[in-house]
Amino acid sequence: MTRQVLCWALLAALLLVWLGLLLGATWTTQALQARFRRQAEERRRLNAAWAAVHATAHHGEKCPHCGYPPTDQDWHAEPTPVEDPPDDD
């Protein structure tokens, strides 16, 4: 094998690897696009809910979700962790 043939073979191999990576990245993005949209919509809903709760806490109004007035607790406090019940399996 001459040096020129080896260089062309190496260039062709690199080109195939590059095309494979490009195609794989494109397909992965297409496959995950629906999931990304769902996550973005959920993030928007959570942000809107948090903004409503935050506004309620500062204005002393009733909660728009449950209708109860806010409690005296700090709205920025860490949430209390809840233990998962053990599985019966």
Side-chain angles (χ1 to χ4, degrees), residues 42-72:
E42 182 179 355
R43 190 170 41 250
R44 282 189 286 272
R45 279 194 314 262
L46 289 173
N47 285 342
W50 172 249
V53 168
H54 190 67
T56 301
H58 288 295
H59 291 84
E61 300 170 0
K62 292 183 179 180
C63 175
H65 296 289
C66 66
Y68 290 108
T71 61
D72 291 336

Side-chain angles (χ1 to χ4, degrees), residues 7-26:
C7 286
W8 281 109
L10 184 60
L11 182 63
L14 287 174
L15 182 62
L16 284 175
V17 168
W18 179 77
L19 285 173
L21 288 172
L22 183 64
L23 188 62
T26 302

